[in-house]
Amino acid sequence: RDIAPDDPRGWRLGGGVTYASLTTARLGLSTAALIGVDAAAASADELDTLRAAGVEVHLAPLPESPVFRNTETAAGRVQIAIAPGVPLEPQPLPASWLAAPGWSLVPVADEVGEAWVEHIPDGATVAVGWQGMLRTLVAGQRVERRPPVSNALLRRADLVGVSEFDLPPATDPVDLVRYLRPGARLVVTRGDRGGLLMDVAEITGAAPRRSDYRAIAHEVAVDATGAGDTFLAVLLAVTLRPELLGGERGQLGANLRFAAAAASLTVTARGLDGIGDLRAVTALATGEAHI
């Protein structure tokens, strides 16, 4: 949950899983989501928003889930951990989930452990939100950056996303590819400055191929929460369903612009209200609409 004084509850339900699942559902993909919730979040209105979009929601009750106070500054986001939360342990999943061609693991407080890898089918395409593994949370204190380390989730991932604001200062993105498997893709988002995608070489020691992308400008940024999660979810969606891009299917530049359009829509409203559907994202990506 994210503290939000303008919300009657005093908070909004955030987290990568809410943004990612709503994004893929509104793009037309069949989507299910396992969401760890504390007692307050279990009845959140945002869960009904997911269900209305077609997301099959399964809740995992937790004694405590992460709660943040976010403040946007010129140097990036400052996060205070109101509550650090507890791990989301592996648990039995519906049998139908095991046939899913795509999986998205998007922790916010390193709550999704390496044991989850054993539950993912071998043939599935896996996206991982890395930034949730790069935070140290202590109740009442500013969230501190944690240096990257190798783990089973990263080694299994086909697509990894991270914000530069969650990396140690002066991190060279090229140094990050050693944590990923050959053939994987790494996306480093940079807010309104766009970002870059790197293809990890199949040949050990070969340099990764780098593709920079631009953000799509918007007149007013209301809430940047969830933009990176949305971007990653769209890249996973177009990997699984290239036909979403019509005649531009299979073109990396088109994929990145499509994801940038979805992320740009996200920041124009608070919480989940900015998540666009296929028509809105396509219009913005193709220049038929502006914000």
Side-chain angles (χ1 to χ4, degrees):
R1 291 182 289 134
D2 295 316
I3 298 300
D6 60 333
D7 190 289
R9 301 166 298 182
W11 53 267
R12 291 188 183 88
L13 188 64
V17 65
T18 57
Y19 286 93
S21 61
L22 185 57
T23 295
T24 54
R26 286 188 171 168
L27 291 178
L29 279 70
S30 297
T31 303
L34 176 67
I35 306 175
V37 291
D38 58 15
S43 59
D45 294 342
E46 290 88 346
L47 297 175
D48 292 330
T49 299
L50 299 185
R51 296 183 181 107
V55 179
E56 180 183 344
V57 176
H58 290 254
L59 301 181
L62 299 174
E64 176 181 282
S65 59
V67 180
F68 297 97
R69 177 179 288 112
N70 301 317
T71 303
E72 301 295 337
T73 72
R77 172 174 296 175
V78 175
Q79 286 187 313
I80 303 297
I82 306 303
V86 298
L88 178 59
E89 300 293 347
Q91 53 194 273
L93 299 174
S96 61
W97 289 27
L98 300 180
W103 287 59
S104 182
L105 306 176
V106 282
V108 297
D110 202 20
E111 72 276 19
V112 179
E114 294 180 274
W116 273 101
V117 168
E118 300 175 7
H119 293 255
I120 302 174
D122 291 339
T125 299
V126 178
V128 171
W130 198 353
Q131 55 208 45
M133 307 174 192
L134 300 174
R135 300 166 179 160
T136 297
L137 276 64
V138 177
Q141 297 186 21
R142 180 171 178 170
V143 176
E144 298 295 336
R145 294 168 177 164
R146 181 188 303 174
V149 296
S150 178
N151 67 50
L153 298 181
L154 293 174
R155 293 191 297 270
R156 174 62 181 85
D158 301 283
L159 178 63
V160 176
V162 65
S163 166
E164 71 167 0
F165 298 117
D166 284 290
L167 295 168
T171 297
D172 185 341
V174 174
D175 293 335
L176 300 175
V177 301
R178 70 178 186 270
Y179 299 107
L180 279 60
R181 65 165 186 79
R185 282 181 160 175
L186 171 67
V187 178
V188 181
T189 60
R190 292 170 168 167
D192 60 6
R193 294 185 292 111
L196 63 93
L197 179 146
M198 289 190 294
D199 285 291
V200 183
E202 295 279 2
I203 301 174
T204 302
R209 184 181 68 181
R210 171 172 173 155
S211 302
D212 293 275
Y213 70 88
R214 295 181 178 179
I216 295 180
H218 41 73
E219 294 182 0
V220 179
V222 175
D223 183 5
T225 304
D229 298 310
T230 299
F231 192 100
L232 182 64
V234 172
L235 285 187
L236 177 61
V238 297
T239 299
L240 298 171
R241 295 271 301 278
E243 63 271 21
L244 291 174
L245 271 74
E248 293 187 304
R249 69 179 67 185
Q251 299 179 30
L252 179 58
N255 289 357
L256 292 171
R257 183 166 179 81
F258 194 71
S264 189
L265 285 171
T266 300
V267 307
T268 62
R270 299 194 184 282
L272 300 177
D273 291 343
I275 301 294
D277 59 14
L278 180 58
R279 178 178 297 181
V281 176
T282 299
L284 186 58
T286 58
E288 296 177 5
H290 70 277
I291 52 176

